[in-house]
Amino acid sequence: MTAAPRSRRERPAKPALTREGIVAAAVAILRAEGLRKVTMRRLAQELDTGPASLYVYVRNTDELHAAVLDELLGTVGPAPAEGSWRERLERVLTRYTAMLLEHPSLARSALTARPSGPHYLRLIETLLGLLREGGIPRAQAAWGVDLLLQHATATAAEHAGEESPAAWEAVARALREAPAATHPHIAADAGALLSGTPEARLSWAFQTLIAGIERTAVPTEGQEAP
Amino acid sequence: MTAAPRSRRERPAKPALTREGIVAAAVAILRAEGLRKVTMRRLAQELDTGPASLYVYVRNTDELHAAVLDELLGTVGPAPAEGSWRERLERVLTRYTAMLLEHPSLARSALTARPSGPHYLRLIETLLGLLREGGIPRAQAAWGVDLLLQHATATAAEHAGEESPAAWEAVARALREAPAATHPHIAADAGALLSGTPEARLSWAFQTLIAGIERTAVPTEGQEAP
DNA sequence: ACCTGAACACCGTTCAAGT
DNA sequence: ACCTGAACACCGTTCAAGT
Protein backbone atom coordinates (compact mmCIF):
# COMPACT_ATOMS: atom_id res chain seq x y z
CA MET A 1 0.00 0.00 0.00
CA THR A 2 1.22 3.44 -0.91
CA ALA A 3 -0.26 6.56 0.64
CA ALA A 4 -1.64 8.94 -1.94
CA PRO A 5 0.33 12.18 -1.94
CA ARG A 6 -1.64 15.11 -0.54
CA SER A 7 -1.71 18.58 -1.94
CA ARG A 8 -0.15 21.15 0.36
CA ARG A 9 -3.33 23.21 0.11
CA GLU A 10 -5.75 20.47 1.13
CA ARG A 11 -4.10 19.50 4.40
CA PRO A 12 -1.52 21.78 5.85
CA ALA A 13 0.90 19.69 7.91
CA LYS A 14 0.76 22.11 10.80
CA PRO A 15 -2.46 23.98 11.63
CA ALA A 16 -2.10 27.43 13.16
CA LEU A 17 -2.10 27.58 16.95
CA THR A 18 -5.27 28.87 18.62
CA ARG A 19 -6.53 28.69 22.17
CA GLU A 20 -9.39 26.44 21.07
CA GLY A 21 -7.03 24.13 19.25
CA ILE A 22 -4.79 23.88 22.27
CA VAL A 23 -7.69 23.11 24.63
CA ALA A 24 -9.11 20.55 22.18
CA ALA A 25 -5.75 18.78 21.98
CA ALA A 26 -5.55 18.84 25.78
CA VAL A 27 -8.99 17.21 26.04
CA ALA A 28 -7.90 14.52 23.58
CA ILE A 29 -4.81 13.71 25.64
CA LEU A 30 -6.91 13.70 28.84
CA ARG A 31 -9.37 11.21 27.36
CA ALA A 32 -6.64 8.96 26.01
CA GLU A 33 -4.07 9.06 28.80
CA GLY A 34 -5.32 10.99 31.81
CA LEU A 35 -4.55 14.41 33.27
CA ARG A 36 -1.02 13.45 34.29
CA LYS A 37 -0.04 13.48 30.65
CA VAL A 38 -1.70 16.82 29.93
CA THR A 39 1.54 18.76 30.32
CA MET A 40 2.81 21.76 28.42
CA ARG A 41 5.63 19.74 26.91
CA ARG A 42 3.48 16.82 25.86
CA LEU A 43 0.85 19.16 24.41
CA ALA A 44 3.52 21.07 22.47
CA GLN A 45 4.81 17.79 21.07
CA GLU A 46 1.28 16.83 19.98
CA LEU A 47 0.87 20.21 18.27
CA ASP A 48 4.27 19.95 16.66
CA THR A 49 5.79 23.00 18.32
CA GLY A 50 7.88 23.94 21.36
CA PRO A 51 6.38 24.39 24.83
CA ALA A 52 7.24 28.08 24.84
CA SER A 53 4.74 28.69 22.04
CA LEU A 54 1.79 27.64 24.22
CA TYR A 55 2.42 30.44 26.68
CA VAL A 56 1.13 32.89 24.12
CA TYR A 57 -2.37 31.40 24.58
CA VAL A 58 -2.42 29.92 28.08
CA ARG A 59 -1.11 31.60 31.21
CA ASN A 60 0.06 28.41 32.91
CA THR A 61 -0.74 24.76 33.52
CA ASP A 62 -3.50 25.50 36.07
CA GLU A 63 -5.34 27.74 33.64
CA LEU A 64 -5.07 25.04 31.01
CA HIS A 65 -6.65 22.48 33.33
CA ALA A 66 -9.51 24.85 34.20
CA ALA A 67 -10.24 25.39 30.51
CA VAL A 68 -10.27 21.63 29.97
CA LEU A 69 -12.79 21.17 32.79
CA ASP A 70 -15.18 23.80 31.46
CA GLU A 71 -15.03 21.99 28.14
CA LEU A 72 -16.01 18.68 29.76
CA LEU A 73 -18.78 20.38 31.73
CA GLY A 74 -20.49 20.79 28.37
CA THR A 75 -21.14 17.04 28.33
CA VAL A 76 -23.26 17.06 31.50
CA GLY A 77 -26.49 18.05 29.77
CA PRO A 78 -29.50 20.10 30.90
CA ALA A 79 -31.60 19.76 34.06
CA PRO A 80 -34.17 16.94 34.02
CA ALA A 81 -37.78 18.01 33.55
CA GLU A 82 -39.56 15.39 35.67
CA GLY A 83 -39.79 15.05 39.42
CA SER A 84 -39.82 17.32 42.45
CA TRP A 85 -37.24 20.08 42.76
CA ARG A 86 -35.40 17.91 45.29
CA GLU A 87 -35.19 14.96 42.93
CA ARG A 88 -34.12 17.11 40.01
CA LEU A 89 -31.50 18.86 42.11
CA GLU A 90 -30.04 15.59 43.29
CA ARG A 91 -30.02 14.23 39.75
CA VAL A 92 -28.14 17.22 38.32
CA LEU A 93 -25.58 17.02 41.11
CA THR A 94 -25.16 13.29 40.66
CA ARG A 95 -24.54 13.70 36.95
CA TYR A 96 -21.98 16.42 37.59
CA THR A 97 -20.22 14.20 40.13
CA ALA A 98 -20.29 11.22 37.77
CA MET A 99 -18.60 13.27 35.06
CA LEU A 100 -15.89 14.40 37.46
CA LEU A 101 -15.41 10.83 38.67
CA GLU A 102 -14.27 9.92 35.18
CA HIS A 103 -11.37 12.32 35.71
CA PRO A 104 -10.74 12.59 39.45
CA SER A 105 -7.46 14.41 39.06
CA LEU A 106 -9.28 17.10 37.12
CA ALA A 107 -11.69 17.44 40.05
CA ARG A 108 -8.68 17.91 42.26
CA SER A 109 -7.44 20.81 40.25
CA ALA A 110 -10.96 22.25 39.92
CA LEU A 111 -10.98 22.70 43.69
CA THR A 112 -8.06 25.10 43.39
CA ALA A 113 -8.59 26.65 39.96
CA ARG A 114 -12.32 27.04 39.54
CA PRO A 115 -13.56 27.09 36.00
CA SER A 116 -15.39 30.24 34.92
CA GLY A 117 -16.52 29.32 31.44
CA PRO A 118 -20.07 29.22 30.04
CA HIS A 119 -20.75 25.63 31.07
CA TYR A 120 -19.92 26.31 34.69
CA LEU A 121 -22.18 29.40 34.73
CA ARG A 122 -25.04 27.36 33.31
CA LEU A 123 -24.65 24.78 36.08
CA ILE A 124 -24.76 27.47 38.78
CA GLU A 125 -27.85 28.99 37.17
CA THR A 126 -29.58 25.60 37.17
CA LEU A 127 -28.76 24.82 40.81
CA LEU A 128 -29.78 28.28 41.96
CA GLY A 129 -33.07 27.98 40.10
CA LEU A 130 -33.91 24.63 41.68
CA LEU A 131 -33.17 25.86 45.21
CA ARG A 132 -35.31 28.98 44.64
CA GLU A 133 -38.07 26.76 43.26
CA GLY A 134 -37.93 24.94 46.58
CA GLY A 135 -38.68 28.21 48.32
CA ILE A 136 -35.23 28.64 49.81
CA PRO A 137 -34.38 32.31 50.49
CA ARG A 138 -31.95 33.95 48.06
CA ALA A 139 -28.97 34.29 50.39
CA GLN A 140 -29.20 30.71 51.63
CA ALA A 141 -29.63 29.40 48.11
CA ALA A 142 -26.58 31.31 46.90
CA TRP A 143 -24.28 30.01 49.61
CA GLY A 144 -25.88 26.62 49.27
CA VAL A 145 -24.90 26.31 45.60
CA ASP A 146 -21.28 26.72 46.63
CA LEU A 147 -21.60 24.08 49.31
CA LEU A 148 -23.25 21.57 46.97
CA LEU A 149 -20.70 22.07 44.21
CA GLN A 150 -17.83 21.88 46.65
CA HIS A 151 -19.09 18.57 48.00
CA ALA A 152 -19.46 17.10 44.54
CA THR A 153 -16.03 18.29 43.46
CA ALA A 154 -14.28 17.21 46.64
CA THR A 155 -15.91 13.77 46.53
CA ALA A 156 -14.61 13.23 43.02
CA ALA A 157 -11.20 14.63 43.94
CA GLU A 158 -10.88 12.10 46.75
CA HIS A 159 -10.77 9.38 44.14
CA ALA A 160 -7.67 10.81 42.46
CA GLY A 161 -4.72 8.53 42.98
CA GLU A 162 -7.08 5.67 43.73
CA GLU A 163 -4.97 3.30 41.69
CA SER A 164 -2.77 2.99 44.79
CA PRO A 165 -5.37 2.42 47.54
CA ALA A 166 -2.76 1.91 50.26
CA ALA A 167 -3.80 5.07 52.12
CA TRP A 168 -7.49 4.17 52.24
CA GLU A 169 -6.72 0.65 53.48
CA ALA A 170 -4.53 2.12 56.18
CA VAL A 171 -7.39 4.33 57.46
CA ALA A 172 -9.82 1.40 57.44
CA ARG A 173 -7.42 -0.79 59.39
CA ALA A 174 -6.67 1.98 61.89
CA LEU A 175 -10.39 2.50 62.52
CA ARG A 176 -11.15 -1.22 62.91
CA GLU A 177 -8.25 -1.73 65.29
CA ALA A 178 -8.71 1.36 67.43
CA PRO A 179 -8.71 0.20 71.09
CA ALA A 180 -11.97 0.75 72.97
CA ALA A 181 -10.07 1.98 76.01
CA THR A 182 -8.73 5.09 74.28
CA HIS A 183 -11.22 5.44 71.40
CA PRO A 184 -14.58 4.22 72.67
CA HIS A 185 -16.71 5.93 70.02
CA ILE A 186 -14.61 4.69 67.13
CA ALA A 187 -14.58 1.17 68.57
CA ALA A 188 -18.37 1.24 68.93
CA ASP A 189 -19.02 2.75 65.49
CA ALA A 190 -16.23 1.42 63.25
CA GLY A 191 -18.82 -0.47 61.23
CA ALA A 192 -20.86 2.65 60.57
CA LEU A 193 -17.76 4.69 59.76
CA LEU A 194 -16.81 2.25 57.03
CA SER A 195 -20.28 1.30 55.79
CA GLY A 196 -22.20 2.28 52.70
CA THR A 197 -21.58 2.22 48.98
CA PRO A 198 -20.15 5.37 47.40
CA GLU A 199 -23.52 5.93 45.74
CA ALA A 200 -25.47 5.64 49.00
CA ARG A 201 -23.08 8.01 50.73
CA LEU A 202 -23.23 10.55 47.93
CA SER A 203 -27.01 10.51 47.89
CA TRP A 204 -27.18 10.83 51.68
CA ALA A 205 -24.70 13.70 51.59
CA PHE A 206 -26.73 15.65 49.03
CA GLN A 207 -29.94 15.12 51.04
CA THR A 208 -28.12 16.19 54.19
CA LEU A 209 -26.76 19.33 52.57
CA ILE A 210 -30.15 20.27 51.15
CA ALA A 211 -31.86 19.71 54.51
CA GLY A 212 -29.26 21.93 56.19
CA ILE A 213 -29.43 24.64 53.55
CA GLU A 214 -33.22 24.80 53.90
CA ARG A 215 -33.00 25.44 57.62
CA THR A 216 -29.92 27.58 58.17
CA ALA A 217 -30.17 31.34 57.71
CA VAL A 218 -27.06 33.23 56.65
CA PRO A 219 -25.79 35.96 58.98
CA THR A 220 -27.22 39.42 58.37
CA GLU A 221 -24.12 40.85 56.68
CA GLY A 222 -24.35 38.12 54.06
CA GLN A 223 -28.00 38.81 53.23
CA GLU A 224 -29.29 40.66 50.21
CA ALA A 225 -32.55 42.55 49.91
CA PRO A 226 -35.31 40.04 48.95
CA MET B 1 37.37 33.49 63.94
CA THR B 2 38.26 29.84 63.86
CA ALA B 3 35.66 27.15 64.48
CA ALA B 4 36.58 24.84 67.34
CA PRO B 5 37.18 21.32 66.08
CA ARG B 6 34.48 18.87 67.17
CA SER B 7 35.09 15.37 68.37
CA ARG B 8 33.73 12.76 66.00
CA ARG B 9 31.88 11.16 68.93
CA GLU B 10 30.01 14.26 70.06
CA ARG B 11 28.39 15.18 66.74
CA PRO B 12 28.31 12.60 64.04
CA ALA B 13 28.22 14.39 60.69
CA LYS B 14 25.46 12.18 59.34
CA PRO B 15 22.76 10.77 61.63
CA ALA B 16 21.30 7.38 60.71
CA LEU B 17 18.18 7.46 58.55
CA THR B 18 14.88 6.66 60.27
CA ARG B 19 11.28 7.21 59.25
CA GLU B 20 10.85 9.72 62.08
CA GLY B 21 13.93 11.62 61.05
CA ILE B 22 12.75 11.78 57.48
CA VAL B 23 9.27 13.03 58.45
CA ALA B 24 10.78 15.58 60.84
CA ALA B 25 13.04 16.91 58.11
CA ALA B 26 10.04 17.08 55.78
CA VAL B 27 8.06 19.11 58.34
CA ALA B 28 11.00 21.50 58.68
CA ILE B 29 11.15 22.05 54.93
CA LEU B 30 7.35 22.51 54.82
CA ARG B 31 7.47 25.18 57.53
CA ALA B 32 10.37 27.00 55.92
CA GLU B 33 9.53 26.77 52.23
CA GLY B 34 6.12 25.19 51.64
CA LEU B 35 4.99 21.81 50.40
CA ARG B 36 6.24 22.39 46.87
CA LYS B 37 9.77 22.03 48.16
CA VAL B 38 9.03 18.86 50.12
CA THR B 39 10.32 16.58 47.38
CA MET B 40 12.23 13.33 47.60
CA ARG B 41 15.28 14.91 46.04
CA ARG B 42 15.29 18.00 48.23
CA LEU B 43 14.71 15.90 51.34
CA ALA B 44 17.57 13.57 50.40
CA GLN B 45 19.83 16.56 49.91
CA GLU B 46 18.85 17.88 53.36
CA LEU B 47 19.62 14.48 54.89
CA ASP B 48 22.90 14.21 53.02
CA THR B 49 22.02 11.10 51.03
CA GLY B 50 20.61 10.11 47.66
CA PRO B 51 16.87 10.07 46.91
CA ALA B 52 16.89 6.31 46.44
CA SER B 53 17.70 5.83 50.13
CA LEU B 54 14.39 7.37 51.22
CA TYR B 55 12.40 4.68 49.46
CA VAL B 56 13.49 2.23 52.16
CA TYR B 57 11.32 4.16 54.66
CA VAL B 58 8.60 5.85 52.59
CA ARG B 59 6.59 4.22 49.84
CA ASN B 60 6.24 7.35 47.70
CA THR B 61 5.71 11.10 47.78
CA ASP B 62 2.00 10.85 48.62
CA GLU B 63 2.68 8.70 51.66
CA LEU B 64 5.31 11.18 52.78
CA HIS B 65 2.81 14.04 52.58
CA ALA B 66 0.21 12.08 54.56
CA ALA B 67 2.77 11.41 57.29
CA VAL B 68 3.64 15.11 57.42
CA LEU B 69 -0.04 16.02 57.81
CA ASP B 70 -0.60 13.62 60.69
CA GLU B 71 2.41 15.19 62.38
CA LEU B 72 0.90 18.69 62.05
CA LEU B 73 -2.47 17.42 63.29
CA GLY B 74 -0.72 17.01 66.62
CA THR B 75 -0.63 20.79 66.97
CA VAL B 76 -4.42 21.21 66.87
CA GLY B 77 -4.94 20.47 70.57
CA PRO B 78 -7.79 18.83 72.51
CA ALA B 79 -11.51 19.56 72.40
CA PRO B 80 -12.62 22.64 74.36
CA ALA B 81 -14.38 21.98 77.67
CA GLU B 82 -16.86 24.88 77.74
CA GLY B 83 -20.01 25.46 75.76
CA SER B 84 -22.75 23.38 74.20
CA TRP B 85 -21.84 20.37 72.06
CA ARG B 86 -22.65 22.46 69.00
CA GLU B 87 -20.28 25.23 70.00
CA ARG B 88 -17.52 22.81 70.92
CA LEU B 89 -17.96 20.91 67.68
CA GLU B 90 -17.74 24.07 65.62
CA ARG B 91 -14.68 25.21 67.55
CA VAL B 92 -12.78 21.95 67.00
CA LEU B 93 -13.61 22.03 63.30
CA THR B 94 -12.59 25.67 62.98
CA ARG B 95 -9.24 24.97 64.62
CA TYR B 96 -8.63 22.02 62.31
CA THR B 97 -9.48 24.18 59.30
CA ALA B 98 -7.25 27.02 60.53
CA MET B 99 -4.31 24.63 60.82
CA LEU B 100 -4.87 23.35 57.29
CA LEU B 101 -5.19 26.90 56.01
CA GLU B 102 -1.58 27.48 56.99
CA HIS B 103 -0.66 24.80 54.45
CA PRO B 104 -3.41 24.67 51.81
CA SER B 105 -1.42 22.49 49.47
CA LEU B 106 -1.17 19.91 52.23
CA ALA B 107 -4.96 20.00 52.55
CA ARG B 108 -5.12 19.33 48.84
CA SER B 109 -3.09 16.19 49.13
CA ALA B 110 -4.98 15.15 52.30
CA LEU B 111 -8.13 14.93 50.20
CA THR B 112 -6.50 12.20 48.13
CA ALA B 113 -4.17 10.52 50.59
CA ARG B 114 -5.95 10.53 53.92
CA PRO B 115 -3.75 10.40 56.96
CA SER B 116 -4.25 7.43 59.26
CA GLY B 117 -1.94 8.28 62.13
CA PRO B 118 -2.76 8.68 65.82
CA HIS B 119 -3.60 12.39 65.58
CA TYR B 120 -6.18 11.81 62.86
CA LEU B 121 -7.82 9.01 64.87
CA ARG B 122 -8.03 11.26 67.90
CA LEU B 123 -9.80 13.94 65.86
CA ILE B 124 -12.36 11.44 64.56
CA GLU B 125 -12.97 10.17 68.11
CA THR B 126 -13.57 13.73 69.32
CA LEU B 127 -16.00 14.61 66.54
CA LEU B 128 -17.90 11.36 66.90
CA GLY B 129 -18.19 11.91 70.65
CA LEU B 130 -19.59 15.42 70.22
CA LEU B 131 -22.20 14.32 67.68
CA ARG B 132 -23.26 11.43 69.92
CA GLU B 133 -23.47 13.84 72.86
CA GLY B 134 -25.90 15.84 70.75
CA GLY B 135 -28.12 12.77 70.55
CA ILE B 136 -27.43 12.05 66.90
CA PRO B 137 -27.90 8.35 66.03
CA ARG B 138 -24.73 6.30 65.51
CA ALA B 139 -24.99 5.80 61.77
CA GLN B 140 -25.75 9.43 61.03
CA ALA B 141 -22.97 10.59 63.32
CA ALA B 142 -20.46 8.29 61.62
CA TRP B 143 -21.26 9.47 58.12
CA GLY B 144 -21.51 13.02 59.45
CA VAL B 145 -17.92 12.99 60.70
CA ASP B 146 -16.77 12.25 57.19
CA LEU B 147 -18.85 15.06 55.75
CA LEU B 148 -17.59 17.59 58.30
CA LEU B 149 -13.94 16.65 57.82
CA GLN B 150 -14.31 16.66 54.07
CA HIS B 151 -15.76 20.16 54.13
CA ALA B 152 -12.97 21.46 56.33
CA THR B 153 -10.29 19.84 54.20
CA ALA B 154 -11.79 20.91 50.88
CA THR B 155 -12.24 24.49 52.08
CA ALA B 156 -8.57 24.69 53.00
CA ALA B 157 -7.56 22.97 49.77
CA GLU B 158 -9.40 25.61 47.75
CA HIS B 159 -6.88 28.14 48.99
CA ALA B 160 -3.93 26.28 47.50
CA GLY B 161 -2.43 28.24 44.66
CA GLU B 162 -4.06 31.40 45.98
CA GLU B 163 -0.92 33.39 45.29
CA SER B 164 -2.21 33.64 41.71
CA PRO B 165 -5.86 34.65 42.23
CA ALA B 166 -6.58 35.03 38.53
CA ALA B 167 -9.03 32.12 38.50
CA TRP B 168 -11.11 33.45 41.40
CA GLU B 169 -11.31 36.91 39.87
CA ALA B 170 -12.47 35.38 36.61
CA VAL B 171 -15.35 33.57 38.35
CA ALA B 172 -16.39 36.73 40.19
CA ARG B 173 -16.41 38.76 36.99
CA ALA B 174 -18.33 36.07 35.11
CA LEU B 175 -21.00 36.01 37.84
CA ARG B 176 -21.34 39.79 38.01
CA GLU B 177 -21.58 40.12 34.26
CA ALA B 178 -23.95 37.23 33.57
CA PRO B 179 -26.81 38.61 31.44
CA ALA B 180 -30.25 38.52 33.06
CA ALA B 181 -31.82 37.27 29.82
CA THR B 182 -29.98 33.94 29.89
CA HIS B 183 -29.05 33.69 33.58
CA PRO B 184 -31.86 35.34 35.54
CA HIS B 185 -31.08 33.73 38.89
CA ILE B 186 -27.39 34.56 38.77
CA ALA B 187 -28.18 38.13 37.71
CA ALA B 188 -30.61 38.48 40.62
CA ASP B 189 -28.33 36.88 43.20
CA ALA B 190 -24.78 37.77 42.11
CA GLY B 191 -24.37 39.81 45.30
CA ALA B 192 -25.32 36.89 47.51
CA LEU B 193 -23.14 34.47 45.54
CA LEU B 194 -20.09 36.63 46.19
CA SER B 195 -20.94 37.89 49.69
CA GLY B 196 -19.59 36.94 53.09
CA THR B 197 -16.18 36.72 54.69
CA PRO B 198 -14.43 33.35 54.57
CA GLU B 199 -15.02 33.07 58.34
CA ALA B 200 -18.75 33.76 58.05
CA ARG B 201 -19.10 31.24 55.24
CA LEU B 202 -17.16 28.57 57.09
CA SER B 203 -19.26 29.03 60.22
CA TRP B 204 -22.49 28.94 58.22
CA ALA B 205 -21.33 25.82 56.40
CA PHE B 206 -20.59 23.96 59.64
CA GLN B 207 -23.98 24.95 61.08
CA THR B 208 -25.66 23.88 57.86
CA LEU B 209 -23.90 20.52 57.85
CA ILE B 210 -24.74 19.88 61.49
CA ALA B 211 -28.40 20.80 60.94
CA GLY B 212 -28.55 18.43 57.99
CA ILE B 213 -26.78 15.60 59.80
CA GLU B 214 -29.23 15.87 62.71
CA ARG B 215 -32.22 15.42 60.44
CA THR B 216 -31.18 13.00 57.73
CA ALA B 217 -31.34 9.28 58.40
CA VAL B 218 -28.92 6.99 56.57
CA PRO B 219 -30.42 4.27 54.34
CA THR B 220 -31.10 0.96 56.07
CA GLU B 221 -28.15 -0.89 54.56
CA GLY B 222 -25.82 1.67 56.09
CA GLN B 223 -27.25 1.35 59.58
CA GLU B 224 -25.69 -0.56 62.44
CA ALA B 225 -27.47 -2.15 65.39
CA PRO B 226 -27.97 0.54 68.07
C1' DA C 1 3.91 40.76 16.36
C1' DC C 2 4.39 36.29 16.75
C1' DC C 3 7.00 32.31 17.44
C1' DT C 4 10.66 29.15 19.17
C1' DG C 5 15.48 26.75 20.30
C1' DA C 6 17.79 26.21 23.91
C1' DA C 7 18.61 26.59 28.44
C1' DC C 8 17.74 26.77 33.57
C1' DA C 9 16.39 24.50 37.32
C1' DC C 10 14.28 21.09 38.68
C1' DC C 11 11.10 16.35 39.30
C1' DG C 12 9.83 10.68 40.85
C1' DT C 13 11.34 6.29 40.69
C1' DT C 14 14.18 2.20 39.58
C1' DC C 15 17.97 -0.88 39.68
C1' DA C 16 22.49 -2.77 39.34
C1' DA C 17 26.21 -2.66 42.05
C1' DG C 18 28.45 -1.90 46.16
C1' DT C 19 29.37 -2.55 51.48
C1' DA D 1 20.42 -6.63 54.69
C1' DC D 2 20.90 -2.20 53.86
C1' DC D 3 22.25 1.53 51.13
C1' DT D 4 23.26 4.40 46.98
C1' DG D 5 25.38 6.28 42.26
C1' DA D 6 23.79 6.78 38.26
C1' DA D 7 20.50 6.61 35.00
C1' DC D 8 15.81 6.88 32.79
C1' DA D 9 12.26 9.50 31.57
C1' DC D 10 10.33 13.22 32.32
C1' DC D 11 8.62 18.35 34.26
C1' DG D 12 7.31 24.22 34.08
C1' DT D 13 8.83 28.38 32.66
C1' DT D 14 11.83 32.02 30.70
C1' DC D 15 14.25 34.63 27.33
C1' DA D 16 17.28 35.93 23.71
C1' DA D 17 17.11 35.52 19.13
C1' DG D 18 14.90 34.70 15.00
C1' DT D 19 11.13 35.48 11.13
Side-chain angles (χ1 to χ4, degrees):
Chain A
M1 273 203 266
T2 313
R6 289 177 199 273
S7 129
R8 210 188 315 128
R9 271 245 202 61
E10 266 181 275
R11 196 203 197 275
K14 194 177 161 181
L17 285 180
T18 61
R19 196 178 206 271
E20 295 82 51
I22 290 170
V23 173
V27 170
I29 297 175
L30 174 73
R31 290 223 157 90
E33 305 173 58
L35 190 70
R36 235 188 27 212
K37 301 282 186 170
V38 182
T39 66
M40 294 303 224
R41 291 182 106 107
R42 177 62 203 285
L43 199 46
Q45 186 190 306
E46 209 78 11
L47 293 165
D48 196 21
T49 182
S53 306
L54 304 178
Y55 286 81
V56 177
Y57 304 95
V58 168
R59 190 189 306 269
N60 54 36
T61 308
D62 276 359
E63 199 201 278
L64 174 68
H65 289 175
V68 166
L69 177 57
D70 196 77
E71 201 59 34
L72 291 189
L73 235 36
T75 67
V76 170
E82 306 268 297
S84 70
W85 68 271
R86 260 176 237 277
E87 286 163 358
R88 281 177 288 151
L89 181 53
E90 197 182 322
R91 244 178 290 156
V92 172
L93 288 165
T94 303
R95 279 210 313 245
Y96 170 66
T97 312
M99 186 276 280
L100 283 178
L101 278 170
E102 283 167 44
H103 305 286
S105 47
L106 201 57
R108 196 178 174 179
S109 56
L111 224 43
T112 308
R114 297 227 180 167
S116 58
H119 299 302
Y120 193 67
L121 274 202
R122 187 104 306 266
L123 180 60
I124 291 177
E125 175 71 14
T126 301
L127 297 176
L128 209 43
L130 286 166
L131 288 171
R132 295 287 292 137
E133 191 183 328
I136 296 176
R138 290 180 182 288
Q140 268 158 261
W143 288 19
V145 166
D146 232 56
L147 197 55
L148 291 165
L149 282 175
Q150 193 213 49
H151 180 75
T153 311
T155 297
E158 286 181 343
H159 291 254
E162 211 176 30
E163 61 281 358
S164 72
W168 171 248
E169 280 162 25
V171 185
R173 194 172 351 98
L175 289 173
R176 261 194 301 268
E177 293 171 1
T182 53
H183 300 72
H185 292 106
I186 294 178
D189 297 337
L193 284 162
L194 298 165
S195 73
T197 62
E199 293 76 24
R201 283 193 167 232
L202 186 65
S203 173
W204 177 82
F206 285 141
Q207 287 167 34
T208 300
L209 290 171
I210 296 166
I213 292 165
E214 282 184 281
R215 288 172 173 81
T216 311
V218 311
T220 333
E221 317 89 77
Q223 281 181 31
E224 296 290 299
Chain B
M1 270 203 267
T2 314
R6 288 178 200 275
S7 130
R8 209 187 318 128
R9 271 242 202 63
E10 265 180 276
R11 197 202 196 274
K14 194 178 160 182
L17 285 179
T18 61
R19 196 178 206 271
E20 295 82 50
I22 290 170
V23 173
V27 171
I29 296 174
L30 174 73
R31 290 222 156 91
E33 304 173 59
L35 190 71
R36 235 187 29 212
K37 301 284 185 167
V38 182
T39 67
M40 294 303 225
R41 290 181 106 106
R42 177 62 204 284
L43 200 46
Q45 185 190 307
E46 208 77 14
L47 293 165
D48 196 21
T49 183
S53 305
L54 304 178
Y55 286 80
V56 177
Y57 303 94
V58 168
R59 191 188 306 270
N60 54 36
T61 308
D62 276 358
E63 199 201 278
L64 174 68
H65 289 174
V68 166
L69 177 57
D70 196 77
E71 200 60 32
L72 291 189
L73 237 35
T75 68
V76 171
E82 307 269 295
S84 72
W85 67 272
R86 260 177 236 276
E87 286 163 358
R88 281 176 287 151
L89 181 53
E90 198 183 321
R91 244 177 289 156
V92 172
L93 288 165
T94 303
R95 280 210 311 246
Y96 170 66
T97 312
M99 186 277 280
L100 284 178
L101 278 171
E102 284 169 43
H103 305 284
S105 48
L106 201 58
R108 195 178 176 179
S109 57
L111 224 42
T112 310
R114 297 226 181 169
S116 58
H119 299 301
Y120 193 68
L121 275 201
R122 187 104 305 264
L123 180 60
I124 292 177
E125 176 70 16
T126 301
L127 298 175
L128 209 43
L130 287 167
L131 289 170
R132 294 289 290 137
E133 190 183 328
I136 295 175
R138 290 180 182 290
Q140 268 159 261
W143 288 18
V145 166
D146 233 56
L147 198 54
L148 291 166
L149 282 175
Q150 193 213 48
H151 180 75
T153 311
T155 297
E158 285 180 344
H159 291 254
E162 212 176 29
E163 61 281 356
S164 71
W168 171 247
E169 279 162 25
V171 186
R173 191 169 355 94
L175 289 173
R176 261 193 302 268
E177 293 171 1
T182 54
H183 300 74
H185 292 107
I186 293 179
D189 298 336
L193 283 162
L194 297 166
S195 73
T197 62
E199 293 75 24
R201 282 193 168 231
L202 185 65
S203 174
W204 177 82
F206 286 141
Q207 286 167 36
T208 300
L209 290 171
I210 295 167
I213 292 166
E214 281 184 282
R215 288 171 173 80
T216 312
V218 311
T220 333
E221 315 90 76
Q223 282 180 30
E224 296 289 299

